[in-house]
Every structure is written in C-alpha cells, then in structure tokens.
Amino acid sequence: MADLDGDGILEVVVATSLGFIYVLEAKGEVREGFPVTMAEIQGQVGIADINDDGQLELIAADNRHNIAAFSSKGKELWERHMSGFSTQGPTLGDINGDGIVDVVLATSSGHIWAMNGKNGDSLPNFPVKLGGEIMAPPLILAMGNAGQGPTGLPVRHVVVPSHDGYLNVVDGSSGCTFKYDIGEKAYSMVLADDVTGNGQMDLIVSTMNGNIINLGTEVPYDAMKSWTSREVGNNNVEMRDGRQGIVVTPEYRSHRDNVGATMMMGFEIVDTRPVKGFGKGKATYKVKISVGGNTVLFTKTYDAPGKYLEELPCPARRQYSTVYVQMVNELGQHFEDKVAMSFNMRFYRALKWVLVIPFLAMTGVIVFIKEMDAVLPL
C-alpha cells in the first residue's frame, strides 16, 4: 500500500500468478494504466522511489527471469533479464555507497543480482554466484568495516542463506563473500536486531528444519538498521539503509517506569532523500505514538526532519508494554521504531511498602512488649 498520486489516500498494489500487476484505488477501481503484464509473479512488488524523482515506482520479478520497473502510471521504465527467478521479490537500498537506490534480488540459480535503480544496470562485481539455489529474500545490513562508497556513504552487505547450508555475507561493493555454515536450508529472510541486549546487532535465521539460530555480530545496534520482520510496519517493502525513517533518541531507548500524568519522549525524523514530495520538494511527516500499537498517546504532523522532544500523556493503567513511534511520509510510506516501557509499576510497589512497613513496625512493637513482660518481674 502506498500513496502513488499524492492525494493522501493509499492505493493497493497486487501482483498475480497470471503476471498482472494491478493498482487498485481505495474504493476498488483499477487505476488507469493498469494492469501491466509480465509472466507469473510469485514474490511481492517493491514500491519505492528508486530513481530519485520524488515519486514512487513499482518493481517486480517474474518466473521467466525478468525484472522490471514501472512508474506509478504504469509506464515501463526499464526491464532486465536475470539468471533464475526470484520467489520473494526485491529488497531495496543503497549497497555500494553511491547514494543511488539499488534493487537487490536472490534467484533460484544461486545468484545475487544488484541493479542500479535509475536504469537497471548491474552493479560492478554483480551478479555474485553462491553455492546453492536461494529462496529467501536478501537482507541489507552494514556488517562492519566495508569502507565507504564514492559519495562517502557506507558500503553495506547482502546477507542471505543458500540451499547448500551456508549463510552468505556479500560485500555490496567488491562482491566478496563470507560464508558461515549453518548446515540447514532456510526459506525466510534473515532478520537483524539486538536480541541479547548487549548493544550489538544479532542475525536471526529460521530454518526449514524448524530451528531458530541467533548469531552475534560486532556491529553496534542502530534502530535504522534493524529488520524485525520482512515487512517493517504496514508497508510491503521498507528501505533500511539510513535514507529515511524515525528513531527513538538514545536517552529514551532504555527501559524506564513512567509515573504521573505525563512523560517525555524524544525521537528523530531522518530524511536524506535528494527529491521529496512528488518532485515538489515539500515533505510531510505524520507521527503517531501509541502503547501496544492501539492506545494512541500523541499525533502530530511535522514539515522538516530533525530531533524532537514531546510531552505525552502517561497511561494510568498499571502495565508493561511496547511504545510504538510511527511515521508516515507524504508518499504514504510507513516507518516505525519501538521501545519497551512500564507504567506505574514502581508506584504500586511503593504503595505496597506503605502498607507493609507500618504492619512490620507494629509487629516489632508487640514482640518487644511481650519480651519485656517476660523479663520484668511481677
């Protein structure tokens, strides 16, 4: 779902096994210029601004080894032929540090393809051949000392399991590959987050044997790099390459108990897109903060990225919960961060001692009096 025409209403993009890509208006009508036709499509359609024109494009791959990009009006922008086909669709983000969005796919032939989003050309040193067929979508993550690209942006890695039992980490610039033997096949995307709470990113691999493997890294945790699910939030594809998003500021990330009528929340809106707002240069950021994703505490629309500190009402009910900080931009793209908090837990603990301490004191007095009665003669 995304706002393809800037009217503030989301459209629905659907690809079918007959190779049709539909764009449905909010009331269900097929949008003019659609459907467009390819061969059978198994994976999701990617939706992002891949050519920096301030508008969203659609990217899809079919089972005849083709990948194509279309404008929001259904015009084909480019098409390329690949080795193998992608069962899961593309992952989008800048992997070689040149500031241009890349389209990254893993194929059934065991290749990692990476293409320039503006023209579809293969990146230098790609495709990369791995040891077995690949059925999982690739993860994009800066794994460490990969260096910088031509524009000074960090080079990122493509992390994906192959069906020869290895987890592969591919450098987005050189194509050099590191392999880690997990001994099992995996069909789902590798996820990345700080699972152990040590301040570093972990890689979570779920296998077709029913195992979940957690691999530690030395990569410092960064909420903008975290992939807690393939679809982060309610979009089908979200770029996590630092270009755009919302993050809770570090001083408000640690768990804390909130007591009283209000609480403070700090967050940062990040947006380094070269062109915004349907090519008009104007962007909007609708921020919503909620408890558990349901109880809304705060909503506000901002017109510029930056750091913000806001005062929110504090839930009165005693609870542990997750606070979601969500942002929707002018294109209808959804970004989110979340932190664990508690509300009024310490207050109730303190109230317990208010009741217990007088009871203990009175018990001590009674025991003392009885002991004195036993010692003193009648």
Side-chain angles (χ1 to χ4, degrees):
M1 297 187 293
D3 183 3
L4 298 178
D5 51 15
D7 61 356
I9 301 174
L10 295 178
E11 285 76 47
V12 180
V13 181
V14 180
T16 73
S17 59
L18 291 180
F20 293 105
I21 301 176
Y22 290 90
V23 173
L24 305 177
E25 305 287 357
K27 295 184 179 180
E29 300 91 347
V30 178
R31 184 173 183 170
E32 183 179 356
F34 291 89
V36 295
T37 306
M38 299 179 70
E40 177 183 343
I41 301 172
Q42 295 185 7
Q44 289 189 335
V45 178
I47 305 175
D49 181 7
I50 60 172
N51 57 10
D52 291 332
D53 64 351
Q55 301 189 40
L56 295 176
E57 287 77 45
L58 283 58
I59 311 96
D62 64 27
N63 70 349
R64 292 190 179 179
H65 308 181
N66 299 307
I67 179 169
F70 302 90
S71 73
S72 59
K73 296 181 179 180
K75 177 184 177 182
E76 183 179 297
L77 302 177
W78 52 260
E79 181 180 5
R80 295 293 179 268
H81 190 74
M82 306 180 297
S83 55
F85 65 92
S86 171
T87 62
Q88 303 264 9
T91 301
L92 308 173
D94 178 15
I95 66 170
N96 61 355
D98 63 357
I100 299 173
V101 177
D102 303 314
V103 179
V104 184
L105 296 102
T107 70
S108 58
S109 66
H111 287 92
I112 299 293
W113 283 82
M115 286 155 280
N116 183 308
K118 290 186 176 182
N119 52 31
D121 292 344
S122 294
L123 299 188
N125 302 312
F126 283 88
V128 173
K129 180 69 170 72
L130 303 179
E133 63 179 349
I134 307 171
M135 296 299 175
L139 164 73
I140 296 176
L141 180 66
M143 288 290 291
N145 298 322
Q148 296 179 338
T151 62
L153 295 172
V155 172
R156 294 174 172 84
H157 294 83
V158 179
V159 184
V160 67
S162 52
H163 274 205
D164 58 353
Y166 285 95
L167 180 67
N168 306 274
V169 180
V170 182
D171 187 287
S173 178
S174 67
C176 293
T177 304
F178 169 81
K179 294 178 178 289
Y180 182 83
D181 187 3
I182 59 176
E184 300 181 41
K185 298 178 180 180
Y187 199 88
S188 59
M189 182 179 183
V190 178
L191 303 180
D193 200 23
D194 180 10
V195 177
T196 58
N198 64 353
Q200 296 175 327
M201 299 292 280
D202 301 305
L203 300 179
I204 303 94
V205 186
S206 55
T207 74
M208 296 173 69
N209 288 355
N211 293 314
I212 297 178
I213 303 170
N214 183 27
L215 303 173
T217 76
E218 296 181 354
V219 179
Y221 174 79
D222 184 343
M224 291 284 287
K225 300 176 183 177
S226 173
W227 292 74
T228 56
S229 66
R230 169 89 195 279
E231 298 78 25
V232 184
N234 62 12
N235 287 119
N236 64 334
V237 172
E238 178 181 309
M239 291 188 289
R240 306 286 289 177
D241 61 356
R243 180 184 307 264
Q244 190 177 184
I246 187 168
V247 292
V248 177
T249 51
E251 57 269 30
Y252 291 92
R253 293 204 69 85
S254 58
H255 180 272
R256 67 184 191 275
D257 185 65
N258 296 282
V259 180
T262 63
M263 65 180 189
M264 303 302 294
M265 176 62 75
F267 56 88
E268 181 178 5
I269 298 172
V270 179
D271 190 358
T272 62
R273 293 175 295 167
V275 180
K276 306 175 180 66
F278 295 92
K280 301 175 182 177
K282 183 179 180 181
T284 58
Y285 313 93
K286 298 178 181 178
V287 174
K288 179 176 73 173
I289 302 177
S290 62
V291 174
N294 299 314
T295 304
V296 178
L297 304 179
F298 174 85
T299 59
K300 187 174 179 179
T301 299
Y302 301 84
D303 59 7
K307 292 185 178 181
Y308 296 92
L309 180 63
E310 300 288 355
E311 185 176 15
L312 321 177
C314 184
R317 187 168 66 89
R318 179 174 179 256
Q319 59 183 307
Y320 291 103
S321 189
T322 300
V323 175
Y324 289 82
V325 181
Q326 302 169 312
M327 180 191 79
V328 177
N329 67 9
E330 76 282 358
L331 303 178
Q333 292 176 297
H334 176 107
F335 302 85
E336 69 177 36
D337 192 10
K338 52 185 179 290
V339 292
M341 291 185 183
S342 61
F343 303 96
N344 300 303
M345 298 299 292
R346 293 181 182 176
F347 171 77
Y348 281 92
R349 290 173 185 170
L351 183 63
K352 175 185 68 176
W353 289 110
V354 169
L355 299 175
V356 171
I357 289 175
F359 174 77
L360 294 176
M362 183 58 67
T363 302
V365 170
I366 294 173
V367 171
F368 177 76
I369 292 174
K370 286 186 176 182
E371 290 179 348
M372 292 298 295
D373 288 342
V375 172
L376 297 174
L378 298 175

